[in-house]
Amino acid sequence: EDNVLPIYCFYLYLHIYAFPQRQAMKKRLNIKSLFLHLALCTIVLGSPLILMVRDQEVNIGNMYLQLQMPICMLVVFYINYLWLVPLLFLKYAKGKFVFCNLLIGGLICTALEMGNITYFEHLRQQFMEQMASDDANHNMHHERKTRDERRGPRPFRRMGPPIWFFAMRDMMTLLISCGVATMIRTNMAFNRAEAARKEAELGRAD
């Protein structure tokens, strides 16, 4: 009976105090994690509005150009955070992890460039139609029309740096987002392993 009483007291301690405290701590950690993820999404998606100049015009086209990279960064971050890092990186399949990230980054960069080319070509067509309409209204369309314009609209040509420069910039940005997700999940796994090791040492000590 002398040996049973301490065991019974320890059992009551676990069920009355320790287990409820642990469940409450897990609930607080889940709420804190959810709040941090919501704050991250809000800051990243709201960055174009935060950095907007006061006299800058707001339209759908500008919002599309400004939000496409933050959205892609969040997509890559959560693909790595939820799946690739736990399933590949932490299980020492680093080759597959790198290949998947390069494939995802390449597909996203290709889609971004194709979308931008289509969008800017649409803007150029609208500008050409507006110019033609203005010339017709002033009866100057035939006088200003050059030989190149009679052959049809020229193919899209991006002003400024070439396409590969922006593709490399986008790829580096997505890889940075992947690296941040990898560091966070690796640190979480390390902390979890350390906590399990300390609990095992305390159990052996008891």
Side-chain angles (χ1 to χ4, degrees):
E1 294 179 355
D2 294 338
N3 293 331
V4 171
L5 183 59
I7 295 174
Y8 182 69
C9 292
F10 182 68
Y11 176 82
L12 290 178
Y13 164 76
L14 290 178
H15 282 268
I16 295 175
Y17 180 77
F19 287 162
Q21 287 285 351
R22 188 170 183 181
Q23 293 297 327
M25 185 177 296
K26 285 184 177 180
K27 187 176 181 180
R28 287 196 298 269
L29 288 176
N30 290 334
I31 294 175
K32 182 179 178 181
S33 177
L34 178 63
F35 175 77
L36 290 175
H37 284 289
L38 289 176
L40 172 66
C41 295
T42 302
I43 292 172
V44 173
L45 295 178
S47 57
L49 296 176
I50 295 173
L51 300 176
M52 183 180 296
V53 182
R54 290 183 180 273
D55 58 350
Q56 182 178 348
E57 182 182 357
V58 178
N59 56 52
I60 300 300
N62 287 338
M63 295 301 295
Y64 162 75
L65 294 175
Q66 293 171 351
L67 284 176
Q68 61 181 3
M69 183 48 63
I71 292 174
C72 292
M73 289 174 62
L74 288 177
V75 169
V76 171
F77 176 85
Y78 281 107
I79 287 175
N80 282 275
Y81 184 86
L82 297 174
W83 294 293
L84 294 184
V85 176
L87 297 178
L88 297 178
F89 187 83
L90 295 179
K91 294 185 178 180
Y92 303 102
K94 293 183 173 64
K96 294 180 181 179
F97 174 76
V98 173
F99 173 77
C100 289
N101 274 287
L102 291 177
L103 179 62
I104 293 171
L107 292 175
I108 290 177
C109 290
T110 302
L112 286 177
E113 291 305 319
M114 295 299 295
N116 288 338
I117 289 175
T118 304
Y119 175 71
F120 284 116
E121 180 65 20
H122 174 68
L123 290 182
R124 192 182 73 87
Q125 291 290 344
Q126 286 186 337
F127 178 75
M128 293 290 291
E129 291 175 1
Q130 184 65 35
M131 289 292 294
S133 177
D134 292 342
D135 289 342
N137 292 335
H138 292 87
N139 296 322
M140 296 172 60
H141 178 64
H142 295 289
E143 296 178 3
R144 295 175 113 184
K145 198 169 187 181
T146 62
R147 183 175 58 185
D148 293 334
E149 290 173 340
R150 293 192 187 97
R151 296 175 181 173
R154 295 181 181 180
F156 172 78
R157 292 182 182 179
R158 182 192 292 270
M159 299 297 294
I163 292 178
W164 63 264
F165 174 83
F166 294 97
M168 292 297 295
R169 181 204 62 181
D170 295 342
M171 191 68 176
M172 291 300 297
T173 305
L174 296 178
L175 291 179
I176 290 173
S177 181
C178 164
V180 172
T182 304
M183 288 189 294
I184 293 175
R185 285 309 295 255
T186 303
N187 188 41
M188 291 173 58
F190 176 77
N191 292 336
R192 196 178 298 115
E194 283 293 310
R197 183 182 64 81
K198 290 180 180 179
E199 287 186 2
E201 289 179 353
L202 290 175
R204 287 195 299 268
D206 295 337

